[in-house]
Structure formats: C-alpha cells, structure tokens
Amino acid sequence: MTTPSAHAGYPAFHRQVCSRRDDYIREVFARHQEAIRVKKESVVVRKLAAIFDKTLEISNRHGFQAMSVRDLSEATGISMGSLYSYIESKERLLGMILTYGHVVVDHTLRIPEALTGPRERLHHVLRTHVYITEVMQPWFYFSYMESRHFDRDTREQTIAGELRTERLIADLLDEGVAQAVFPVRDTGLTAALIKPLLQEWYLKRWKYRRRGIGVDDYADRMIAFVDAALNGAAET
Amino acid sequence: MTTPSAHAGYPAFHRQVCSRRDDYIREVFARHQEAIRVKKESVVVRKLAAIFDKTLEISNRHGFQAMSVRDLSEATGISMGSLYSYIESKERLLGMILTYGHVVVDHTLRIPEALTGPRERLHHVLRTHVYITEVMQPWFYFSYMESRHFDRDTREQTIAGELRTERLIADLLDEGVAQAVFPVRDTGLTAALIKPLLQEWYLKRWKYRRRGIGVDDYADRMIAFVDAALNGAAET
DNA sequence: AAAAATAGAGCGAGCGCTCGCTCGATAAGC
DNA sequence: GCTTATCGAGCGAGCGCTCGCTCTATTTTT
C-alpha cells in the first residue's frame, strides 16, 4: 500500500485507484452492514457500485433532492423493493456515498516520506489532489454541491475535511517559510487562495476539456501559477 | 493606488448600490410585467424585494427546488394566493431573480475610461468584482449553486456570463502582455485560474468572516497574490 | 360602490417508502 | 437420485403525505 512515489503521471494513478474499487466498496458494505438486507458480499458490491454511479450521475445533473428513488430504480434497472434492501433510506444512501468517497480519499492522499523538500512536498500534494479529484470527479462535485443540504453533523464533517486540506497546505507553506524557501507572509491566507485552484479542476472541468487541457496539463500549469505567486510574494 | 473615479473603498460602493435598489427592482418589474397581476408599482417593488430576499435566503440554505412555495409564503408573510399574483410560477420567480442580478451587475461592472494602464485596469476589475459580489453575495451564491438545475437556455446564458468575465480578464492580460507589463505566457489559462479567486469570495465568505478578514482585506490580498503570480511567471 | 389586493381551502400529481408476493437456487429428507 | 422444504433476492402496486398551483370569497383601497 503506497502512493506512487513522487508521480509517474496520471494514467498510472488512475489504474491503481480503479483496480482497488471493489475493496473500497467492500469497506463501505462493512461500515453500513446493518442497513443492508442483502447478505452475499459479491452481489452487494456489484449492485452498490451501480447504485453509487447512477446516484452521482443523476444528482450531479438535477440535485440529490430532486432525484426520486424511482428515477434511481429506473436508471439502475433495480426495482423499488430491491433497491430498498440495499439502501434502507434515501438519507442512508447519502451516508454510504459519502463514506465511499472518504474511504477512497483516506487511502490515497498521503505524502511519501521520501519527499523532504517543502517545495517538492507541496507539489506532490497539489498534484495528487488534482489526480484524485479527476478519478473521483463526480463524487467531489457531489460532495461540494450537496454539502449545504446535509444535516448538521454531516455538514460539519464535510467542512472539517475541507479545512484539513487547507491546514495541510498551510503547514507545508510554514515549513517552506521556516526553511526560507517561500517568502510568504500570511501562510493561512495563501493556503486559502490555493484551495480554490484545486477545486477548480473538479468544479469546472468541462471548461478545460473544451479547451483540450488534460489533467497533467492542468496540474503543471496550476503548480507553476502557485509557484510564481509564492516566489513573487517578496516583491510587494 | 486608487484613482478618484476608481475606488473610494467598499463602504461608498455599498451605499451607492443599495440606494439604487428600488430602481433595479422597477426594471425587473418592467421586464416581467405580463407575469405580474398586481398593478401598482410601489406595491410591487416593495413585495418583490421581500420575495427575492427570502427566496435567496431559503434557497441558499436548502436549495431552490427544496424550498416550497408555502415556505416562501410563510417567510414573507404573503399568502399563497397573493404570492401567485406576483410570481406567476415558481419557475418564473427564478427568472425574475436572475433578471434582478443581471440588471444590477450590468449597471455596476464598467471600467472607467480614465484608467489606462493595464495593471490599474485589471486591479479595478478584480476589486469591483469582489465588491459587487459582497453586496450581492446571496444572489451570486444562488446563481452559482443553482445554475446546473436551470433549463437549457437559462443555463447557457449563465455560462455565457461566466465566460464573459473570464474573457474580460484575459483581454486585460493580453493588453498587459502587448505593453510588456505582464510576462504571462498563456493569458487564457491564467485568466481561468484568476476567476476562482474571485468566486472564492462569495462562495466561502463565512471562512473569511470567521478569520476577521473583510472585503477590502480580501481584495488587497487577492490582488497582491495575482500580481505576484503575474510577476513571477517569467522565472520558471 | 367599483376595482384592486389578499386570503387560504382544495386539487391532482408525484414523493419516499412498504409489504405481500414470486421465483430460482441450494439444502434436507427419503 | 429424486422430491420436498427453505431461503434470499427481486418485484411493483399502493400508502400517507407534500408539492406547485388555482379559485372563489373576502378585505382594503380609491
């Protein structure tokens, strides 16, 4: 279990995450077992995969609340009754989908210890973030767009996750400042300004697709932009 | 750094936009008159203001589709029947609200001709954008979050507006490149990376409020960040 | 008293979810 | 080895409820 050391480019990353997909869904099954009436794991994994995919697809077009369970039933080809032996309730389905994303992200976003320089570590985090949001674009888009409708606890959990990423970037900037690599003054605010550049990739991907800009292109350019901003920060 | 016509700070800007509010709503009334059964302009303007405010308030918490017209009736204190003599349909209400925002933005986002230097012109656009999204935060948030649920035409109109802002920034960057002010290579992509920094202000304002960062603070820091990125672009 | 504005009960459609049932695969009995 | 009993997965009409919207009676304004 390792993240590809530094980065072998997006395709390798994509393949690795996809190959583990069933494991991730099995983990979701384990965490929500009391809500699922169907027993056989292989059946559950196959169906959940379809249910998650179609839910994200429909929700990201019309909103989760606007998606009726009948819509989902029709899209997956699973009857109403059958569907409800996998999801317990529409709300629980939401919880499962969020769990799914968290499981994937937790297994993916780690900084290899081999990387020691603050700039290299920052670059790695930025690139990995772009990569994982590319693989899981529907999930990140969903999580971003729907979070304001979540119940209090779930919403605060999502916000906490968001702030954790920002904190991670701020800490890396602090490291860089301590080692005199970045001439940044307010690392907290700078991290806050870098964050939307990461989110841009999964929120407005269609714009870049239209222009023929791929994942690695975006990561390169965005990292260059950030580097320039960090370097130029001394001047003003 | 500020030219007289350019910016006297946020408070003055805020006062000016607010004082024109009734005029903007009158314009909305004019454009949607066939959908409104109530005749007297003064009554319509007063009620529409309340309807728009509450719609944005409720929708931004739970989503426009999740807001029932009964909720809106209760929040505004206007009965169901009365409400429907102002809005014709929930969909038309959406159209009116979008019109409202467009009217305000069209009257506000203009570059004073007195500004000639590309950097000053860019700064003006960035700052004005932050200012207007501060005054109209609920509207911008609404428009951003709900646009994916709009019907085809309305959605494309919203996207076109988004791309127009990006184009404006890209053109200013091109000007700067032509006059050797900015050493930027891909102005289109750079503009695309600046855009989310503008949107950040109305999408995540709570984060900055929590930290005690005000409008002018954000505008200053964000513009400094962009300047740094534009200056540093030559190095890599 | 005429016109304009407001009120709120009521309508059909569509929502999330349930429940009595069918069906095919596997296990148990002989 | 054939029959029978058991089980889990799948099905979809139907329930109680809320939705967007309407319509007529009533109040307010002029």
Side-chain angles (χ1 to χ4, degrees):
Chain A
M1 162 65 231
T2 45
T3 342
S5 61
H7 274 296
Y10 176 71
F13 184 91
H14 175 85
R15 247 177 285 116
Q16 194 183 339
V17 175
C18 289
S19 70
R20 294 195 205 279
R21 196 167 178 217
D22 282 6
D23 295 329
Y24 298 140
I25 294 184
R26 251 188 292 276
E27 174 69 22
V28 177
F29 178 36
R31 293 202 206 173
H32 290 269
Q33 205 148 19
E34 6 85 51
I36 299 174
R37 283 205 304 271
V38 177
K39 309 281 174 66
K40 237 166 78 180
E41 194 183 65
S42 65
V43 178
V44 173
V45 168
R46 189 161 19 97
K47 293 289 169 68
L48 280 188
I51 293 171
F52 292 172
D53 284 349
K54 290 298 180 184
T55 301
L56 292 176
E57 188 183 317
I58 301 173
S59 293
N60 285 347
R61 214 166 41 238
H62 303 111
F64 181 71
Q65 125 93 30
M67 176 195 77
S68 78
V69 182
R70 277 176 188 80
D71 293 341
L72 182 59
S73 162
E74 203 166 325
T76 55
I78 301 172
S79 70
M80 285 293 292
S82 217
L83 201 49
Y84 267 90
S85 54
Y86 291 98
I87 66 173
E88 185 177 271
S89 72
K90 199 185 175 190
E91 172 125 0
R92 188 65 182 251
L93 167 60
L94 180 71
M96 288 180 182
I97 286 185
L98 294 182
T99 301
Y100 170 57
H102 292 141
V103 166
V104 177
V105 172
D106 285 354
H107 279 78
T108 315
L109 271 186
R110 282 170 185 165
I111 310 178
E113 313 215 344
L115 290 179
T116 52
R119 174 163 266 123
E120 287 69 36
R121 285 159 64 82
L122 178 65
H123 286 188
H124 181 270
V125 167
L126 298 184
R127 185 173 296 272
T128 309
H129 202 285
V130 171
Y131 281 3
I132 190 63
T133 58
E134 168 73 7
V135 186
M136 300 279 288
Q137 193 269 347
W139 185 87
F140 278 92
Y141 188 87
F142 178 88
S143 177
Y144 185 94
M145 287 298 190
E146 300 292 340
S147 64
R148 69 195 165 123
H149 310 313
F150 297 166
D151 65 86
R152 210 189 145 77
D153 281 358
T154 316
R155 193 173 58 247
E156 277 173 4
Q157 201 179 326
T158 305
I159 289 178
E162 160 130 353
L163 291 177
R164 208 179 314 126
T165 311
E166 206 171 307
R167 184 80 247 142
L168 176 66
I169 295 173
D171 288 346
L172 288 173
L173 291 178
D174 282 336
E175 266 184 47
V177 169
Q179 298 180 32
V181 179
F182 310 132
V184 176
R185 269 177 308 177
D186 186 338
T187 55
L189 189 95
T190 305
L193 290 174
I194 292 175
K195 189 100 204 307
L197 299 177
L198 295 176
Q199 299 182 317
E200 175 79 356
W201 181 247
Y202 61 86
L203 293 174
K204 298 287 172 57
R205 213 176 52 175
W206 56 270
K207 222 164 63 181
Y208 299 96
R209 183 148 293 169
R210 185 188 283 184
R211 290 194 207 187
I213 296 175
V215 210
D216 275 309
D217 290 331
Y218 184 81
D220 291 344
R221 307 299 199 108
M222 185 268 293
I223 289 171
F225 185 83
V226 170
D227 261 344
L230 296 179
N231 289 334
E235 301 187 11
T236 36
Chain B
M1 258 317 151
T2 45
T3 6
S5 60
H7 278 298
Y10 176 72
F13 183 92
H14 175 84
R15 247 177 285 116
Q16 194 182 340
V17 175
C18 289
S19 70
R20 302 222 167 114
R21 196 168 177 217
D22 282 5
D23 294 329
Y24 297 140
I25 295 184
R26 251 188 291 278
E27 174 70 21
V28 177
F29 178 37
R31 293 202 207 172
H32 290 269
Q33 206 148 19
E34 5 85 49
I36 299 174
R37 284 205 303 271
V38 177
K39 308 282 173 65
K40 236 170 77 180
E41 194 184 66
S42 66
V43 178
V44 173
V45 169
R46 187 160 20 97
K47 294 287 169 70
L48 280 188
I51 293 172
F52 292 171
D53 284 349
K54 291 297 179 186
T55 301
L56 291 176
E57 190 184 315
I58 300 173
S59 294
N60 286 347
R61 215 167 38 239
H62 304 110
F64 181 71
Q65 125 94 30
M67 176 195 76
S68 77
V69 181
R70 279 175 186 79
D71 293 341
L72 182 58
S73 163
E74 202 166 326
T76 54
I78 302 171
S79 69
M80 285 293 291
S82 215
L83 201 50
Y84 267 90
S85 56
Y86 290 97
I87 67 172
E88 184 177 273
S89 73
K90 201 186 175 189
E91 173 126 0
R92 188 64 181 253
L93 167 60
L94 179 71
M96 288 180 182
I97 286 184
L98 294 182
T99 302
Y100 170 57
H102 291 139
V103 166
V104 178
V105 171
D106 284 354
H107 279 78
T108 315
L109 269 188
R110 283 172 184 163
I111 310 179
E113 312 215 345
L115 290 179
T116 51
R119 173 162 268 125
E120 287 69 34
R121 284 158 65 82
L122 178 64
H123 286 189
H124 182 271
V125 166
L126 298 184
R127 185 173 296 272
T128 308
H129 202 285
V130 172
Y131 281 3
I132 190 64
T133 58
E134 169 72 8
V135 186
M136 300 279 288
Q137 193 269 346
W139 185 86
F140 277 92
Y141 188 86
F142 177 88
S143 177
Y144 186 94
M145 287 297 190
E146 300 292 340
S147 64
R148 68 195 165 124
H149 309 314
F150 298 166
D151 64 86
R152 210 187 145 78
D153 280 359
T154 316
R155 194 172 58 247
E156 277 173 3
Q157 202 179 325
T158 305
I159 288 177
E162 160 130 354
L163 291 177
R164 207 178 315 125
T165 311
E166 206 171 307
R167 184 80 246 145
L168 176 65
I169 295 173
D171 288 346
L172 288 172
L173 291 178
D174 282 336
E175 267 184 46
V177 169
Q179 299 179 31
V181 179
F182 310 132
V184 175
R185 268 176 307 178
D186 186 339
T187 55
L189 189 96
T190 304
L193 290 174
I194 292 175
K195 189 101 205 307
L197 298 176
L198 295 176
Q199 299 182 318
E200 175 78 357
W201 181 248
Y202 61 88
L203 292 174
K204 299 287 172 56
R205 212 176 52 175
W206 57 270
K207 222 164 62 179
Y208 299 95
R209 182 148 293 169
R210 184 189 284 185
R211 291 194 206 186
I213 295 175
V215 210
D216 276 309
D217 290 330
Y218 183 82
D220 292 344
R221 307 298 199 110
M222 185 268 294
I223 289 172
F225 185 83
V226 170
D227 262 343
L230 296 180
N231 290 334
E235 302 187 12
T236 36

